Structure formats: structure tokens, C-alpha cells
Amino acid sequence: MLPSSSMAPKIILAAFFVIFSLKFYSAKSETWVKGGYWYSGSGFPSSDINSALFTHLFCAFADVNSTSYELFLSASDEKEFSNFTDTVKQKNPSVSTLLSIGGGNAKYSTLSTMPGLDSGSFPVKEMEQYLDWANVMAYDFYSPQWAWISGGLSSNKVVLNLPFYGYAWTLANAQDNGIGAPATGPATTEDGDMSYKDIRDYVLSYGANILYNATYVVNYCTIGTSWIGFDDVEVVKIKVAYAKEKKLLGYNAWQISHDDNWILS
């Protein structure tokens, strides 16, 4: 089911990310995980990361050859990735680093031929037995269809992923602007996605009120026909408290360059 040990000393399955420690430091943790993803395509230098705020940092992304299944990096990423660990350890010598593989633009068919997965199932029993933890995406879906813990994965092997971004929608009717209001498509950007930093700037520039919905545990605001849903500081606090209450292993953020002066981190 899993790749051979020659490919990587440790494997972590993270929803649609497969993460290998490779030459980076061991992924195993006995303490609360405070993790964050750094994406090389963000334009945010790894030297600017406040690594003191994290116990684990994920360097994203390496890719997988569709024929040999060997890992490879783009020429632009090779130097940055090779220096990543030394760079972030300058501010926090104890931080652990991991190499993240694939990402949202990865070729799913290549990865699926290695664990043999379909689009809605994972080998939870084997994950429970062999993995240190799983980073579970708890966003980018309308409604969850199943849960990891009820599926057999121990709570202390679950790391809750937090989104440091949100989505802007164009309302069908500006007066109908509650949670679940009809929308005609994205707003502000082609895909509607906005970093937390950009959302704060956008909201402040219009002097809009940020609302909170306790049922869905989300912040949102309306500016004309634009409706933006996201996680502000209060939501992050609630989610982290929830993770602790459920005795999860910690939390992970995608992606740290989206933060606004490390407010969420």
C-alpha cells in the first residue's frame, strides 16, 4: 500500500497531500503541533518566516514523476528548498521541517496509484498503525460526509488544518446576505480566493463590519454584492480550543504567507 522505505523514512498522509520527511527532520512529535505550510510560489521568502511561532514547518511543494515515482523539484525551487531547514532554524533551532509533496495542482492519478485510493476513501487502519499523524483539511468543502476519528483514526494522530484565506462570492441579492445565501459566482478575484491579509485590507478600506456565526464557526462580511467568508482571530482561537478539547495532536495552517503580521499564527 505504501511506498518503499527507500523513498522516504517517514510518511504522513494529509488529505490530498503526501508528505515525506526525506532529508528534512523527523515528523514524529510527542507534543502539541503548531504547524504551518510555506509555499515557494507565494513570493514570500522563507527567511521572513517567524519560525519561533511554530513547532513544524512544511516546505511546499515537491512533485512526483508519473513513471518512476521519484521526487523532483523545479530548478527555481532547488536552492530554496535545500536551504529551507537552515534558514528557519536561525530563528527557532528546535523547529522541525518537512517536505510536502503534490499539493492542490498535483496529478491525482500519479499519487493514487501509490496508496490505491479512490476519491473518497483512505486506508485509515493502516494510517493508524504506521503514521505519526495525519493533517486533516477542515475547509474547502460545503459539508463533511465523514469524519476521521469515527473512521478509526486516534484523535492524538489528527492535526487540524486551518485556512489562512477565505472566499469572496458575488451575491445574487445584496439584501440576502446570510450564511448560505444564493451567489452567482466568485468576487474580487477570478476564483474568489483571498488571503487573510488581503481580506483585512479590503474590509478596512470599506469600513465594513465583520460578523461571526457560531453555528458554522466562521467570520464573514458583506460589501455591496460581495460576500466574504473567512477565519478571523476569534475563529482560530475557537478551533484551536476545540482541537485541544478533542485531544487532537495540534493544528496546521495553509499557508503562513497569507497571515497579516502573524496575527493568526
Side-chain angles (χ1 to χ4, degrees), residues 40-81:
S40 63
S42 65
F44 185 82
S46 59
S47 57
D48 287 351
I49 298 174
N50 187 354
S51 54
L53 298 172
F54 304 94
T55 60
H56 297 75
L57 287 169
F58 295 80
C59 182
F61 293 104
D63 211 338
V64 180
N65 183 287
S66 60
T67 303
S68 67
Y69 301 113
E70 292 180 325
L71 299 181
F72 69 90
L73 301 174
S74 67
S76 60
D77 283 341
E78 284 186 3
K79 182 177 180 181
E80 188 77 54
F81 279 41

Side-chain angles (χ1 to χ4, degrees), residues 32 138 147 149 160 217 235-248 250:
W32 179 252
I149 295 175
L160 183 67
V217 192
V235 169
V236 170
K237 287 182 177 180
I238 291 170
K239 288 185 175 181
V240 171
Y242 174 84
K244 290 184 175 181
E245 176 190 341
K246 296 300 182 181
K247 302 187 186 310
L248 306 188

